[in-house]
Amino acid sequence: GSSASIGGGQGLQSTDASKALAEMNQLEDKVKEAEEKVKRAASQSHHYVGLISKFDTLKGYGFVSCPETFKRFGRDIFIDRESYQGARIGDTVVFSVGFNKKGEVRACDVQKLNEVTRLKQELQQKKQVYMTSLSRSGMNVQTALDFIQGKRSAPADVDGPSFK
């Protein structure tokens, strides 16, 4: 655990932002945990956990992205309207892999994972709260995004010389 110390409220991160960040990190762990649990259960019954990445309601089909199936098939998995019922883009789903008449891979037996989906949506909201509190504290949004995605370390030493 790295402890980025926030210099007596002088730093870029206001207390709001650091509180939001802490909540966000906690929730991120929760999401990972929930997903891992589901993935373990799924893999025992030859199912996968993925995310509905695209869906064209007019054409009646879309795609599920999943790292495990991508490794196997080299692409996102086709999902049709019947399998898609009640799901939305961004939803986390459990599915098995089948093949259509042409031998193309497709998602079967698709079930929406309400719990994981809910946690992920909550996480998105938390990220937005965090971004809002950061922009109030004057941090550049791109910096904040990089920061969230771990591209740069906590902006502890950005604001001028450090006083020893």
Side-chain angles (χ1 to χ4, degrees), residues 17 22 29 35 52-53 75 101 106 109 112 142 157 159:
D29 290 343
E35 257 187 325
I52 294 180
S53 55
R75 57 181 154 146
K101 293 184 187 74
R106 56 182 289 259
D109 194 19
K112 180 175 165 180
Q142 190 50 52
D157 52 358
D159 46 359

Side-chain angles (χ1 to χ4, degrees), residues 33-48:
E33 214 173 285
E35 257 187 325
E36 285 307 310
K37 205 187 279 179
V38 180
K39 275 183 182 169
R40 274 199 299 275
S43 67
Q44 281 164 7
S45 58
H46 301 289
H47 280 64
Y48 299 93

